[in-house]
Amino acid sequence: MNSVGEACTDLKREYDQCFNRWFAEKFLKGDRSGDPCTETFRKYQRCVQKAIKEKDIPIDGVEFMGPNKDNST
Amino acid sequence: MKIWSTEHVFSYPWETVIKAAMRKYPNPMNPNVVGVDVLDRGLDEKGRLHSHRLLSTEWGLPGIVRAILGTSHTQTYVKEHSIVDPEEKKMELCSTNITLTNLISVDERLLYRPHPDNPDVTVLTQEAIITVKGVSLSSYLEGMMARRMSANARKGWDAIEWIIQNSERENVPLCDIY
């Protein structure tokens, strides 16, 4: 599957592989021991955000949660 | 405004269906989805996994419909928010289009849960609200979109089954005797 930003497809695939493994083998089994994909995700996310701006995709207003964000409401 | 809803049962346990749902694209049944990106992802204070994704899709609408809607654009973007609750065994996805919003809005919700009477199978409840704006024949077009969604929903179920079966094939041991 391609990324919405063509240049981001390889980063996307690397992140997806990491995430799918973590999701199946850790998250769904109740293992909360840290997220091994943070660095891969950061690189991928930077690329996607650039592509979104370039293509003028109206995606503002997404509440970015992030694992390290403080979500006190 | 057209409201459409449907229910489908997968003969697989919830975890298996969820893993497939997370890896749904690409698949041969939904060639209309041409790009998927994760915009953000994280756990909330209850340990539920939230994901915000951007999907780009090719409508494949017939030319006459595009003419009525007055657009030559064929690619649209959809934003999707999903929540996976591994304790309650619920996966909920909500999506809405973020382009062509002056013409049409399609809000869709999917919920995957174990079947209340049989924990080895999974129920998918799917519903959508479709509104075509500011055009005559709007209820006709809404009806058509609902029929298209029905057809696509069926393809979506086939896609999940396909993903599950293809993953299972990879895990079959060499010398398993039934």
Side-chain angles (χ1 to χ4, degrees):
Chain A
M1 182 89 270
N2 293 332
S3 167
V4 161
E6 294 81 16
C8 310
T9 296
D10 287 339
L11 290 170
K12 168 192 151 63
R13 292 205 184 132
E14 200 185 317
Y15 167 70
D16 281 348
Q17 261 182 340
C18 181
F19 170 75
N20 288 329
R21 205 176 308 128
W22 171 83
F23 185 71
E25 294 167 17
K26 303 270 181 185
F27 179 71
L28 286 182
K29 299 196 169 146
D31 185 338
R32 296 277 173 270
S33 62
D35 179 2
C37 310
T38 327
E39 200 40 54
T40 333
F41 185 56
R42 251 197 281 268
K43 284 191 279 198
Y44 163 50
Q45 197 179 37
R46 263 201 297 267
C47 183
V48 169
Q49 278 169 6
K50 188 157 167 278
I52 285 170
K53 275 203 187 76
E54 281 167 7
K55 296 193 171 198
D56 218 3
I57 299 172
I59 196 63
D60 45 87
V62 173
E63 329 80 68
F64 287 99
M65 290 194 62
N68 299 314
K69 296 238 171 30
D70 179 23
N71 279 312
S72 45
T73 0
Chain B
M1 189 176 88
K2 180 117 191 133
I3 297 171
W4 167 89
S5 75
T6 188
E7 207 175 76
H8 179 76
V9 176
F10 295 98
S11 310
Y12 296 96
W14 182 80
E15 286 82 1
T16 305
V17 176
I18 289 320
K19 283 188 276 191
M22 274 300 193
R23 292 171 10 235
K24 192 172 173 186
Y25 305 108
N27 69 72
M29 291 82 182
N30 297 127
N32 53 305
V33 177
V34 297
V36 180
D37 281 302
V38 180
L39 298 173
D40 197 37
R41 190 168 256 154
L43 296 173
D44 66 15
E45 66 284 349
K46 297 183 191 153
R48 301 180 305 179
L49 180 71
H50 291 250
S51 307
H52 290 272
R53 301 202 305 177
L54 175 68
L55 286 78
S56 68
T57 67
E58 285 281 352
W59 275 31
L61 281 188
I64 186 158
V65 176
R66 292 206 299 264
I68 294 170
L69 293 179
T71 177
S72 56
H73 291 124
T74 56
Q75 205 166 106
T76 55
Y77 294 101
V78 171
K79 76 173 179 190
E80 174 203 87
H81 176 199
S82 65
I83 306 174
V84 181
D85 187 333
E87 305 276 325
E88 303 260 314
K89 299 206 181 190
K90 268 170 68 174
M91 176 171 179
E92 183 177 0
L93 300 95
C94 289
S95 70
T96 187
N97 58 302
I98 56 170
T99 51
L100 298 183
T101 49
N102 56 322
L103 296 172
I104 187 167
S105 84
V106 180
D107 294 305
E108 200 178 7
R109 180 176 175 264
L110 283 76
L111 181 64
Y112 293 91
R113 299 206 68 168
H115 196 287
D117 303 326
N118 180 359
D120 293 330
V121 307
T122 304
V123 182
L124 165 61
T125 315
Q126 204 167 345
E127 51 200 355
I129 297 176
I130 302 154
T131 312
V132 174
K133 302 166 193 180
V135 186
S136 54
L137 297 179
S138 56
S139 57
Y140 169 77
L141 289 172
E142 285 169 1
M144 216 187 63
M145 273 303 290
R147 278 191 291 283
R148 181 165 284 267
M149 292 197 76
S150 261
N152 284 343
R154 256 168 274 279
K155 289 184 200 166
W157 308 333
D158 290 343
I160 297 282
E161 303 260 351
W162 184 87
I163 301 264
I164 291 171
Q165 281 150 30
N166 277 287
S167 317
E168 282 192 338
R169 218 168 286 139
E170 286 158 20
N171 292 329
V172 171
L174 194 53
C175 296
D176 210 349
I177 296 161
Y178 294 94

